[in-house]
Amino acid sequence: MNGYQSLANAIVEKAAEDYIKALKALKKNPDYFIAQQMKNDYERFFKSQWIQVLTSVNSIWLMDKLRKAVGYHDC
């Protein structure tokens, strides 16, 4: 794997980790404003053209898998 691909993978992995943290925080407290902002920011990222540059993984599928792993459902 080349340096570019390693960096791209690290960006997507970090976004997934942070998205999970936001979802877990919202699951505990749905009114937690900062976690809601983080969730929204990462969802914008996962739906952006930028992620398609970084990975060939279907980002909508990835978001769904992460939500299911956390057991998070929008209210």
Side-chain angles (χ1 to χ4, degrees):
M1 181 179 317
N2 66 34
Y4 166 79
Q5 192 59 50
S6 294
L7 177 59
N9 289 346
I11 292 168
V12 174
E13 287 174 18
K14 179 64 172 153
E17 290 169 7
D18 290 347
Y19 185 58
I20 287 170
K21 287 179 187 176
L23 295 177
K24 286 180 177 180
L26 285 171
K27 191 173 174 185
K28 289 181 184 178
N29 180 3
D31 296 325
Y32 187 21
F33 182 72
I34 294 172
Q36 185 63 47
Q37 284 183 315
M38 287 178 57
K39 175 188 159 293
N40 292 342
D41 288 345
Y42 284 105
E43 288 178 351
R44 268 193 303 278
F45 170 72
F46 286 124
K47 293 175 184 176
S48 73
Q49 296 294 318
W50 173 235
I51 196 166
Q52 294 176 13
V53 171
L54 299 172
T55 184
S56 61
V57 172
N58 180 317
S59 59
I60 303 302
W61 172 85
L62 177 59
M63 277 194 315
D64 185 51
K65 294 293 271 186
L66 296 172
R67 286 170 165 262
K68 286 179 182 175
V70 172
Y72 179 83
H73 305 285
D74 281 326
C75 298

